[in-house]
Amino acid sequence: MLDALSGKFPVSVVTGFLGSGKTTLINKLLKRPDMNRVAVIINEFGEQAIDNDLVEVSSEQMMLLNNGCLCCVLRGDLQETLRDLYVKRRNGDIIDFTRVIIETTGLADPAPVMQTLMTDEMLQENYRLDCVVTLADAVNGLEQLETMEEPVKQAALADRIVITKSDLAGEEVTAKLEARLRELNPQAPIRRALNGEIELAFLVDVGLRNMKGKLEDIERWMGEPDEHGHRHSHDSKVKSFSLRYTEPLSWALFSQTMEVLSALRGSDMLRVKGLVNVIGHKGPMVVQGVQHLFHPPVELEGWPSADHSTRIVFITRNIPRETVANLFAAIGAVTATV
Amino acid sequence: MKPTMSPQSQAAQTISRNMKLVSHNELAGFGGVGEGINMQVTKDGRRILWLAHESAPKNFTGVDVTDVRNPKVIVQTDLPHERVRSNSLDVVGDIMVVAYQTKKVGDKPAGMDIFDISTPETPKLISHFDASGPHSRGAHCVWFVDGDYVHLTSGSDDFEPTHPNDFQFYRIIDVRNPSKPVEVGRWHYPGTHKGDKEAPPPRHPKFDGGYRPHNINVFPERPDRAYVAYLDGGALILDISDKANPKVITNWKYSPPYNGFCHTVMPLMSRDLLLVTDECTKDDGLDWPKLGWIVNAAAETNLVPMSTLPLPPVETFSKRGGRYGAHNIHENLPGPASFRSDNLIVGTFFNGGVRAFDISNAYQPQEVAYFVPGAPKMSPKGAVQINDVWVDENGLVYTVDRFGGGLYVIEMTP
């Protein structure tokens, strides 16, 4: 049988604060020769949209770019657009795309976009979330994080963070923003980019591409290790922490704990990623959730190393590590180790 | 020009999912291949893919695919004239059998050749089994997997059909002595032979494809059963425990209402299922739907269809040129270089390319991979016409174009 993950089209979500340079970044990516089979979904063909020199032909809803890529405007909802792209590709009506990039609006909450890929069965079969890239504008970023909800959430949900316009903001301000972003989301590696120039490898193939469970793939997906188990943000609202269990868990324990958390605090469970050692299963179960929704678990072929302990990373709003650890303990009488 | 493409530009584009081209070989300019593919593993460890051509002037081609990235034609043979085609072959060890079908009745060579291919560069003819006759066009298909018997779709000198389209029937040929092949049994659809007590079967009202066998599957695991696709006669299971006297166990006849030309009946032994395919024989979607059927065979005498292999819409593909619909599948042949699975089916669909299906849930088969090559150079139909497929024991897919595209070696990813 074919690998359940490897055949799915990777989807990158590019999100970021208003004016943070999402379109510039996408335009730069599309000009790369190795990104010539991409379907880009944008919100509108505005002035800021795809560079004119890339556009070969266009209709009201789709543009064929001269490097072979396709750009389409989100119509109706994302679910419908992704389904339509899949069907048109299979019929050979459009290019044989190998990757999808979704650009969200500056004010968008990326959670519903991520959840779309988790909840629609047809989309689940054919696409996989590869990476949420959040752009933060160095000039306005700190203020935006202080005054608005969306930027905080965009940063908290990211797999990768790109700081833009650091040349305009200067080193001191940029460093402060970087520190703040690290507090919000210590797992997401941060890079700086000027004029959308960033190495492609930083942004692609972040999500698990196959079920082989290679160590480097898992580490890349889980993000940067957090040796302390948890961190304190200065406003202590958004928290990141991890749990580790050396003994295998029953699937009932894990899923019941997650169900309780989702039911009671779903909107504050910003992102969960983990490998779970489930009793009776050879490989680790890959779990990931965004707020109250979880992707169906995928069992990898084997463990990436001798360490078979369960490790789960949480990014939450106002849910401390103790609450989650205590819940695991209460439901299954297991004790977390750090 | 719109971002969505015209049928012509669609046909020019290679489209794929979970399948990647490893290599392509146009077979020395004779890239039209029929429906005979088999792989030999030679005593010195080379892997030779044998291909029967669709039509004259070429008979068969041997391709050394030991290095799959660089397939090499090592032998290509000619037919004696353009009024005959080979179309079908099979290999067991170092023995290869090749079918010969003539354009007109009464012509020769009609029947089957048996070759010694122990030195693949120089196949040596061991014997010719003559099936010519005043009403015969010779043989269309061979099934040879046990080294002992060839299950042959053929006419003969003593068979006069009641309708000119019914010129072939099922013959069992003992080749245990390959220099002296002899018929040991035969079966024909009741009413198709002059003198039968039964009335001739009804003709298909729209597309009279005839009552002839196409592929015949007989597996060593079940030597007392022949699974026979009988064109407009549908799918049959025969009891061949007494080869001299085959008996019908069941006949699933589904055309009309469908459009006939039942092509393959492959048993999925471990699951009591049959995978039945039609053959699309008309261009531009005229005989649509031509499908791959999953049939419940748990009660052998009462075959019940459960589902069909999901295909992309006929509206798009029928406009691309040539045929679009089901045809050959990889038939789980025994042998050292053959993939065997009762869950993953790989089939060919003319301009729909080669497609793989996960049928673990027989009620809901899923398409898991496909490769549709862009139209080959000088393609007479303006689109590829993927005709047949072989899957080796490592899961590599070898598929061929009916006209000029030749051989495509494809990797299923990962």
Side-chain angles (χ1 to χ4, degrees):
Chain A
M1 287 294 107
L2 295 174
D3 188 298
L5 287 174
S6 73
K8 300 183 183 186
F9 302 117
V11 177
S12 304
V13 179
V14 179
T15 181
F17 313 170
L18 282 169
S20 61
K22 296 184 291 294
T23 308
T24 308
L25 181 93
I26 290 173
N27 274 319
K28 279 281 157 63
L29 288 179
L30 291 181
K31 284 176 181 163
R32 299 176 57 101
D34 43 1
M35 293 291 269
N36 62 353
R37 279 284 178 270
V38 180
V40 188
I41 301 172
I42 60 175
N43 281 282
E44 55 181 350
F45 289 162
E47 276 174 28
Q48 292 292 307
I50 302 304
D51 277 359
N52 275 332
D53 62 347
L54 274 173
V55 178
E56 191 162 292
V57 282
S58 74
S59 67
E60 206 174 308
Q61 263 141 3
M62 274 191 192
M63 288 193 291
L64 189 62
L65 309 184
N66 56 19
N67 66 343
C69 291
L70 182 81
C71 183
C72 63
V73 178
L74 185 64
R75 99 187 129 83
D77 57 6
L78 180 64
Q79 203 170 351
E80 199 187 314
T81 305
L82 284 169
R83 279 173 167 250
D84 191 46
L85 276 178
Y86 172 76
V87 171
K88 285 203 161 83
R89 182 194 189 279
R90 180 169 178 255
N91 296 353
D93 289 339
I94 55 169
I95 60 150
D96 216 26
F97 64 83
T98 54
R99 171 175 295 279
V100 176
I101 296 179
I102 301 169
E103 181 190 4
T104 71
T105 63
L107 286 171
D109 174 357
V113 174
M114 298 158 79
Q115 289 172 337
T116 298
L117 297 172
M118 296 177 167
T119 48
D120 180 308
E121 205 173 313
M122 189 268 197
L123 299 183
Q124 238 180 59
E125 285 289 321
N126 296 297
Y127 297 94
R128 63 176 175 81
L129 180 65
D130 185 43
C131 184
V132 176
V133 183
T134 297
L135 275 64
D137 159 10
V139 178
N140 301 307
L142 273 172
E143 196 197 330
Q144 286 168 328
L145 286 170
E146 294 303 327
T147 55
M148 291 190 281
E149 286 285 319
E150 294 85 0
V152 174
K153 200 164 174 194
Q154 289 171 351
L157 288 169
D159 295 295
R160 295 287 184 270
I161 295 174
V162 177
I163 297 179
T164 59
K165 302 183 185 172
S166 56
D167 53 337
L168 300 179
E171 180 54 36
E172 195 184 336
V173 177
T174 306
K176 265 192 193 160
L177 174 65
E178 190 168 332
R180 175 76 183 110
L181 290 167
R182 236 177 251 291
E183 280 177 353
L184 286 169
N185 186 344
Q187 278 76 34
I190 301 176
R191 291 278 170 90
R192 298 180 187 184
L194 294 180
N195 295 319
E197 296 286 356
I198 193 152
E199 62 177 304
L200 186 63
F202 182 68
L203 300 180
V204 300
D205 297 337
V206 173
L208 291 179
R209 284 171 289 165
N210 54 53
M211 288 158 66
K212 292 191 176 35
K214 277 198 210 148
L215 186 60
E216 65 204 70
D217 292 347
I218 288 173
E219 285 176 345
R220 191 169 160 79
W221 172 66
M222 292 279 282
E224 295 184 345
D226 182 5
E227 298 303 329
H228 309 289
H230 58 104
R231 289 191 184 216
H232 297 286
S233 309
H234 77 286
D235 67 354
S236 71
K237 240 177 157 187
V238 173
K239 296 175 180 9
S240 163
F241 56 85
S242 57
L243 295 178
R244 182 176 276 268
Y245 297 95
T246 45
E247 294 302 313
L249 312 178
S250 75
W251 182 250
L253 162 65
F254 177 78
S255 57
Q256 280 166 21
T257 308
M258 289 303 129
E259 273 165 31
V260 171
L261 276 170
S262 304
L264 299 178
R265 301 293 301 272
S267 60
D268 294 325
M269 296 260 292
L270 298 180
R271 196 152 186 203
V272 180
K273 280 188 199 179
L275 291 188
V276 183
N277 186 347
V278 178
I279 295 166
H281 288 262
K282 188 171 145 261
M285 292 292 210
V286 174
V287 295
Q288 50 179 324
V290 175
Q291 295 193 304
H292 52 284
L293 290 174
F294 272 77
H295 192 280
V298 176
E299 184 178 355
L300 299 182
E301 286 168 12
W303 283 89
S305 68
D307 179 4
H308 290 197
S309 48
T310 294
R311 52 212 100 146
I312 314 167
V313 177
F314 294 83
I315 296 179
T316 65
R317 192 160 44 199
N318 288 328
I319 310 176
R321 179 176 185 278
E322 294 68 33
T323 305
V324 181
N326 290 345
L327 192 60
F328 267 100
I331 291 179
V334 288
T335 310
T337 54
V338 175
Chain B
M1 185 180 147
K2 285 194 207 155
T4 50
M5 292 178 277
S6 67
Q8 290 72 33
S9 59
Q10 287 170 354
Q13 182 190 225
T14 295
I15 57 174
S16 67
R17 174 99 197 266
N18 289 337
M19 281 188 173
K20 207 168 72 187
L21 186 69
V22 174
S23 55
H24 178 212
N25 191 303
E26 290 179 331
L27 307 176
F30 296 95
V33 182
E35 34 193 345
I37 312 186
N38 207 306
M39 194 181 284
Q40 172 197 20
V41 180
T42 62
K43 292 197 173 65
D44 59 4
R46 287 184 295 158
R47 297 163 70 85
I48 311 297
L49 192 72
W50 294 96
L51 307 167
H53 283 270
E54 163 70 14
S55 56
K58 294 301 171 189
N59 185 352
F60 57 81
T61 295
V63 187
D64 187 331
V65 292
T66 314
D67 175 3
V68 290
R69 298 192 184 280
N70 187 21
K72 290 187 196 76
V73 172
I74 55 163
V75 61
Q76 191 166 61
T77 63
D78 291 291
L79 289 162
H81 52 75
E82 90 300 340
R83 302 183 309 277
V84 65
R85 62 191 286 219
S86 45
N87 186 60
S88 173
L89 59 75
D90 259 331
V91 173
V92 175
D94 288 338
I95 299 287
M96 176 166 78
V97 298
V98 182
Y100 296 104
Q101 177 175 293
T102 55
K103 285 185 176 166
K104 290 190 174 141
V105 295
D107 209 349
K108 285 186 175 188
M112 169 178 84
D113 275 353
I114 305 180
F115 289 94
D116 172 357
I117 50 168
S118 49
T119 307
E121 288 79 359
T122 52
K124 287 186 201 69
L125 183 68
I126 301 172
S127 62
H128 174 69
F129 179 79
D130 179 31
S132 66
H135 306 285
S136 173
R137 290 174 53 190
H140 189 68
C141 261
V142 294
W143 176 267
F144 177 52
V145 300
D146 60 1
D148 295 337
Y149 297 95
V150 176
H151 301 269
L152 192 68
T153 297
S154 175
S156 73
D157 61 352
D158 59 352
F159 185 90
E160 187 179 349
T162 48
H163 186 282
N165 282 359
D166 305 346
F167 52 87
Q168 283 160 337
F169 58 102
Y170 172 26
R171 305 181 69 184
I172 306 173
I173 314 299
D174 181 347
V175 295
R176 284 177 291 184
N177 177 356
S179 48
K180 236 183 154 179
V182 285
E183 180 184 297
V184 293
R186 59 166 64 183
W187 185 86
H188 67 266
Y189 204 92
T192 58
H193 182 37
K194 266 197 183 154
D196 279 357
K197 61 179 190 305
E198 299 89 353
R203 313 314 297 179
H204 193 284
K206 273 165 81 183
F207 306 98
D208 185 355
Y211 285 78
R212 308 187 298 279
H214 202 287
N215 287 18
I216 299 162
N217 280 196
V218 180
F219 284 90
E221 297 95 311
R222 202 69 213 272
D224 60 342
R225 289 289 179 273
Y227 299 86
V228 186
Y230 222 93
L231 302 190
D232 295 353
L236 287 140
I237 303 178
L238 303 182
D239 178 348
I240 55 163
S241 47
D242 174 8
K243 288 188 179 57
N245 189 20
K247 290 184 198 66
V248 177
I249 291 173
T250 195
N251 181 194
W252 176 48
K253 202 175 170 191
Y254 56 95
S255 297
Y258 286 91
N259 288 333
F261 232 92
C262 179
H263 182 280
T264 303
V265 181
M266 175 169 77
L268 305 173
M269 301 281 183
S270 68
R271 301 181 61 196
D272 284 333
L273 297 173
L274 304 178
L275 201 297
V276 176
T277 65
D278 305 329
E279 177 179 346
C280 165
T281 61
K282 307 284 178 201
D283 289 353
D284 309 323
L286 288 180
D287 61 351
W288 182 265
K290 286 301 174 95
L291 303 169
W293 305 79
I294 300 176
V295 176
N296 185 332
E300 229 182 0
T301 53
N302 185 28
L303 301 182
V304 180
M306 301 166 76
S307 58
T308 64
L309 304 179
L311 291 174
V314 66
E315 291 77 15
T316 347
F317 278 81
S318 63
K319 296 188 184 79
R320 290 186 184 179
R323 302 179 182 181
Y324 169 57
H327 194 199
N328 282 288
I329 46 175
H330 175 72
E331 283 166 292
N332 279 346
L333 281 86
S338 173
F339 179 74
R340 303 194 82 183
S341 171
D342 286 358
N343 291 307
L344 187 71
I345 301 296
V346 182
T348 59
F349 297 86
F350 295 108
N351 76 23
V354 60
R355 312 185 85 87
F357 303 89
D358 178 350
I359 63 157
S360 338
N361 177 350
Y363 291 105
Q364 286 183 325
Q366 305 284 328
E367 177 187 85
V368 290
Y370 56 79
F371 190 89
V372 186
K377 281 178 257 169
M378 322 267 290
S379 164
K381 301 288 183 182
V384 80
Q385 295 282 278
I386 291 296
N387 209 28
D388 196 7
V389 64
W390 177 268
V391 185
D392 77 10
E393 78 279 26
N394 304 313
L396 275 178
V397 176
Y398 302 78
T399 196
V400 289
D401 181 45
R402 185 159 174 248
F403 294 114
L407 169 68
Y408 302 83
V409 185
I410 293 160
E411 186 178 30
M412 282 193 264
T413 48

